[in-house]
Amino acid sequence: MKSRFLFPLIGLIAGIFLSSLFPDLFFSILCVAISILIWCIQFYLGKNPRTVFKYSFLHVIWITLLFAGIGGLDYTYRAKPFVYKDLNGEYIIKGTVIDVKTLTNGDRFNLAVNNILDEHNKSIECRNLKFLLKTDGLIANKGDIIEFKSKPKSINTYSKSTQFNERMKKQGILYFDNLRYENIHKIDKKTGLLTLSNRFKTNLEIDIEKSKFKRETGDFLISIILGDKSFLSSDTRQALNSAGMAHILSLSGMHVAIILSIIMILLFPLNLVGKRKFRMGLAIILVWFYVCLTGGSPSTVRAAIMASFIAGSFILERKNSSINALFAAAFFILLIDPLTLWNIGFQLSFLCVLSILTFTTRLNPIDRHIHPGLFKITNMVLITIISVFVTWSLIIYYFGQIPLLFLPSNILLLPFLPIFIGLGILYIGLISLGIDWPILVHLLDYYYEFFINGASLLSLNETSVLNIKVPYESTILWLIGIFFILMSFYFRQRNLKILSSFLSIGILFSSITLIFYKDNTESFSLKFPSNLTNMEANFLNGGKSSRLIFPMRSISESHGERIHILSIDNKIQPDAIEIIKKRFTGENNFILVGPKADFSQIAELTLEGNFNSIILHSGINKKKKENLLQLMDIGHWDKVYSLRESGSLEFDL
């Protein structure tokens, strides 16, 4: 059997998922007990120890149940957040920084909580608890230990988006707070591998910023190679989103494959001296260094594990299977960190790679031996179509939109990405050695302009992006239908193939039908698109959408069902400020702030907390945003969002 990790993976996923639903360990212990019982029965009947490890119906059952139990125990003890009591009051919290993100309203630190002390200086028992800390000006890296006083707030109140809050809870984050940086103390500095690689990455980013690139080229280079998207402008994000190429900004297996190919080319001289295996081993080591350098996202780790399995098979001269390498990668990632199961990047990348490995070659009508060039072109088209076909429901469920021009954009522009990355890596390597080649700077500037202008041309405008709501039930049905399609390709018996095909068609049809017939009348949301030329908002009421456009360089407002929006792109008359405060009371009040607004007046309007959110127009740059935050009370910073930095925003009402 080629896919030996399939059933351990299925069991592990089932165990993690079911343990997240049930609070006790009964399910996990029961699974382990039943698996041992079946193993004993099989051993007794077989009279041969080897028979219990041969693939059979009973073997599949006991091995799946065993890893379901292991997955449940692993999730409960190593991932499921636990705190002895609800945190109500002020506490001293000590935690290790595990992630840092630069956002509109300050830096966001994800902490693994080490210790919590109450007002009596007594420790509160907690396990696997994470804390979200928002501040501005704190200099801390991954691995650093910080301590602060806090009155924690429930993560349920963090965002207007219930879906986002639920995703935070799935990652073990139950509490958050906003603090000034001077109230946070760094008490220890770690020097682990990820910390050292993060500092090396920071130094590379500084070198790139100091280089002779155009600013946009350097920012794109940092995003596409080093994985730091905080440098990217909203215009670049919007162009790639509308063209259906936003996936290139998230480090994935595609990036790892490109990096590995470049490394293998550079190490080709080792082949000439008979060091083929050494070349492969060294390439994998360098790939893992790249994974550490970029922060170790689930998609890059998955790709690196896959590459390691395939390289190991080559070095040991064993048969290898890409599908089995994928299952093995997912298995070890989930075993190490069960919370990765709810990571969007992990879900999308795993589905895409599994579908590509299963469908692409089988659906390609071109003979690779007769027409190798045409076979590769057809493969590229099929990969794009298959990726979107399999994941569209999941993408829309999480992001609420899907680009309509993804196919021509990816076919025409994606082949140029490896060249850009290759030149970028060469330049980064040279500047780290103190060598600056102007010709590389010009080439990368030209490539960036070609790439982004091409994406902008193909995306046309925001109408090329389809905004749609997909119910949760429809997404689940679609994934089940995809599962049956996959099974139909792996079943050898004709009857099972036909049955799986009919089941998949019926389930996929039901999934699509549910989108149109499900009652969405109680679904309300408000979306602010990233647009430099207009100030606008889209109110979504179930399946209906209403577009609200506000005039630039003026002050206007709009009342709608459940919403009240104030648009400010000019100076307000002093006597009108109190009138506005009285008009905007209650819930779901939003301010859309334009570049011509007086920020001191905005700070005065929001001082009493009348507004749920302050949305900064795309024309407001980071420096202006920081000026506004300095004028505002820090307790209201979590209400400020920038369309320039984060792109379009949507709020559940």
Side-chain angles (χ1 to χ4, degrees), residues 68-98:
I70 291 172
L73 294 170
D74 188 36
Y75 173 77
T76 302
Y77 286 107
R78 298 183 60 251
K80 193 173 185 177
F82 166 81
V83 60
Y84 178 71
K85 66 175 184 178
D86 290 336
L87 301 183
N88 296 316
E90 188 172 63
Y91 302 89
I92 297 175
I93 298 176
K94 183 193 294 184
T96 304
V97 178
I98 56 178

Coordinates of all heavy atoms in Angstrom, one line a residue, residues 68-98:
A68 N -6.8 7.8 16.7 CA -7.9 8.7 17.1 C -7.7 8.9 18.6 O -7.9 10.1 19.1 CB -9.2 8.1 16.8
G69 N -7.4 7.9 19.4 CA -7.2 8.1 20.8 C -5.9 8.9 21.1 O -6.0 9.8 22.0
I70 N -4.9 8.7 20.4 CA -3.6 9.4 20.5 C -3.9 10.9 20.2 O -3.4 11.8 20.9 CB -2.5 8.9 19.6 CG1 -2.1 7.5 20.2 CG2 -1.3 9.8 19.6 CD1 -1.1 6.8 19.3
G71 N -4.6 11.2 19.1 CA -5.0 12.5 18.7 C -5.8 13.2 19.8 O -5.5 14.4 20.1
G72 N -6.7 12.5 20.4 CA -7.5 13.1 21.5 C -6.7 13.4 22.7 O -6.9 14.5 23.3
L73 N -5.9 12.5 23.1 CA -5.0 12.8 24.3 C -4.0 13.9 24.0 O -3.7 14.8 24.9 CB -4.2 11.5 24.6 CG -5.1 10.3 25.1 CD1 -4.3 9.0 25.2 CD2 -5.7 10.6 26.5
D74 N -3.5 13.9 22.8 CA -2.5 14.9 22.4 C -3.1 16.3 22.4 O -2.6 17.3 23.0 CB -2.0 14.6 21.0 CG -0.8 15.5 20.6 OD1 0.0 15.9 21.5 OD2 -0.7 15.9 19.4
Y75 N -4.4 16.4 21.9 CA -5.1 17.7 21.9 C -5.4 18.2 23.3 O -5.2 19.3 23.7 CB -6.4 17.6 21.0 CG -7.2 18.8 21.1 CD1 -6.9 20.0 20.4 CD2 -8.4 18.9 21.9 CE1 -7.7 21.1 20.5 CE2 -9.1 20.0 22.1 CZ -8.8 21.1 21.3 OH -9.6 22.2 21.4
T76 N -5.9 17.2 24.1 CA -6.4 17.6 25.5 C -5.2 18.1 26.3 O -5.4 19.1 27.1 CB -7.0 16.4 26.1 OG1 -8.1 15.9 25.3 CG2 -7.5 16.7 27.5
Y77 N -4.1 17.4 26.3 CA -3.0 17.8 27.2 C -2.0 18.8 26.6 O -1.3 19.5 27.4 CB -2.2 16.5 27.6 CG -3.0 15.7 28.6 CD1 -3.6 14.5 28.2 CD2 -3.2 16.1 29.9 CE1 -4.3 13.7 29.1 CE2 -3.9 15.4 30.8 CZ -4.4 14.2 30.4 OH -5.2 13.4 31.3
R78 N -1.9 18.9 25.3 CA -0.8 19.7 24.7 C -1.4 20.9 23.9 O -0.6 21.8 23.5 CB 0.1 18.9 23.8 CG 0.8 17.8 24.5 CD 1.8 17.0 23.6 NE 2.8 17.9 23.0 CZ 2.8 18.3 21.7 NH1 1.9 17.9 20.9 NH2 3.7 19.2 21.3
A79 N -2.7 21.0 23.7 CA -3.2 22.1 22.9 C -4.5 22.7 23.5 O -4.6 23.9 23.3 CB -3.5 21.6 21.5
K80 N -5.3 22.0 24.1 CA -6.6 22.5 24.5 C -6.4 23.5 25.7 O -5.8 23.1 26.7 CB -7.5 21.4 25.0 CG -9.0 21.8 25.2 CD -9.8 20.6 25.5 CE -11.3 21.0 25.6 NZ -12.2 19.8 25.8
P81 N -6.8 24.8 25.5 CA -6.6 25.8 26.6 C -7.4 25.5 27.8 O -8.5 25.1 27.8 CB -7.0 27.1 25.9 CG -8.0 26.7 24.9 CD -7.5 25.3 24.4
F82 N -6.7 25.7 29.0 CA -7.4 25.4 30.3 C -6.9 26.5 31.2 O -5.7 26.8 31.3 CB -7.0 24.1 30.8 CG -7.4 23.9 32.3 CD1 -8.7 23.6 32.6 CD2 -6.5 24.1 33.3 CE1 -9.1 23.5 34.0 CE2 -6.8 24.0 34.6 CZ -8.1 23.6 35.0
V83 N -7.9 27.1 32.0 CA -7.6 28.0 33.0 C -8.5 27.7 34.2 O -9.7 27.5 34.0 CB -7.7 29.5 32.6 CG1 -9.1 29.9 32.1 CG2 -7.2 30.5 33.7
Y84 N -8.0 27.7 35.4 CA -8.7 27.2 36.6 C -10.0 28.0 36.8 O -11.0 27.5 37.2 CB -7.9 27.3 37.8 CG -8.6 26.8 39.1 CD1 -8.9 25.5 39.3 CD2 -8.9 27.7 40.1 CE1 -9.5 25.1 40.4 CE2 -9.5 27.3 41.2 CZ -9.9 26.0 41.4 OH -10.5 25.6 42.5
K85 N -10.0 29.3 36.6 CA -11.2 30.2 36.7 C -11.2 31.3 35.7 O -10.1 31.6 35.1 CB -11.2 30.7 38.2 CG -10.1 31.7 38.5 CD -10.3 32.3 39.9 CE -9.2 33.4 40.1 NZ -9.4 34.0 41.5
D86 N -12.3 31.9 35.5 CA -12.4 33.0 34.6 C -11.6 34.2 35.2 O -11.6 34.4 36.4 CB -13.9 33.5 34.4 CG -14.7 32.5 33.7 OD1 -14.1 31.7 32.9 OD2 -15.9 32.4 33.8
L87 N -10.9 34.9 34.2 CA -10.1 36.0 34.7 C -10.9 37.3 34.8 O -11.1 38.0 33.8 CB -8.9 36.1 33.7 CG -8.0 34.9 33.5 CD1 -6.8 35.2 32.6 CD2 -7.4 34.4 34.9
N88 N -11.3 37.6 36.0 CA -12.1 38.8 36.2 C -11.3 39.6 37.3 O -11.2 39.2 38.4 CB -13.5 38.5 36.8 CG -14.3 37.7 35.7 OD1 -14.3 38.1 34.6 ND2 -15.0 36.7 36.2
G89 N -10.8 40.7 36.8 CA -10.0 41.5 37.7 C -8.6 41.8 37.1 O -8.4 41.6 35.9
E90 N -7.7 42.3 38.0 CA -6.3 42.6 37.5 C -5.3 41.5 37.9 O -5.4 41.0 39.0 CB -5.9 43.9 38.1 CG -4.6 44.4 37.5 CD -4.2 45.8 37.9 OE1 -4.0 46.0 39.1 OE2 -4.2 46.7 37.0
Y91 N -4.5 41.1 37.0 CA -3.5 40.0 37.2 C -2.2 40.4 36.7 O -2.0 41.3 35.8 CB -4.0 38.8 36.5 CG -5.4 38.3 36.9 CD1 -6.5 38.7 36.2 CD2 -5.5 37.4 37.9 CE1 -7.8 38.3 36.6 CE2 -6.8 36.9 38.3 CZ -7.9 37.4 37.7 OH -9.1 37.0 38.1
I92 N -1.1 39.8 37.2 CA 0.2 39.9 36.6 C 0.4 38.6 35.7 O 0.3 37.5 36.2 CB 1.3 39.9 37.7 CG1 1.1 41.1 38.6 CG2 2.7 39.9 37.1 CD1 2.0 41.2 39.8
I93 N 0.6 38.9 34.4 CA 0.7 37.8 33.5 C 2.1 37.8 32.9 O 2.7 38.8 32.5 CB -0.3 38.0 32.3 CG1 -1.7 37.9 32.9 CG2 -0.1 36.9 31.2 CD1 -2.8 38.2 31.9
K94 N 2.7 36.6 32.9 CA 4.0 36.4 32.2 C 3.8 35.4 31.1 O 3.2 34.4 31.2 CB 5.0 35.8 33.3 CG 6.4 35.6 32.7 CD 7.3 34.7 33.6 CE 7.5 35.4 34.9 NZ 8.5 34.5 35.8
G95 N 4.4 35.8 29.9 CA 4.2 34.9 28.7 C 5.4 35.0 27.8 O 6.2 35.9 27.8
T96 N 5.5 34.0 26.9 CA 6.5 33.9 25.9 C 5.9 34.3 24.6 O 4.9 33.8 24.2 CB 7.1 32.5 25.8 OG1 7.6 32.1 27.0 CG2 8.2 32.4 24.8
V97 N 6.6 35.2 23.9 CA 6.2 35.7 22.6 C 6.3 34.6 21.5 O 7.4 34.0 21.3 CB 7.0 36.9 22.1 CG1 6.5 37.4 20.7 CG2 6.8 38.1 23.1
I98 N 5.2 34.2 20.9 CA 5.3 33.1 19.9 C 4.9 33.7 18.5 O 5.2 33.0 17.5 CB 4.3 32.0 20.2 CG1 2.9 32.4 20.4 CG2 4.8 31.2 21.5 CD1 1.9 31.3 20.7

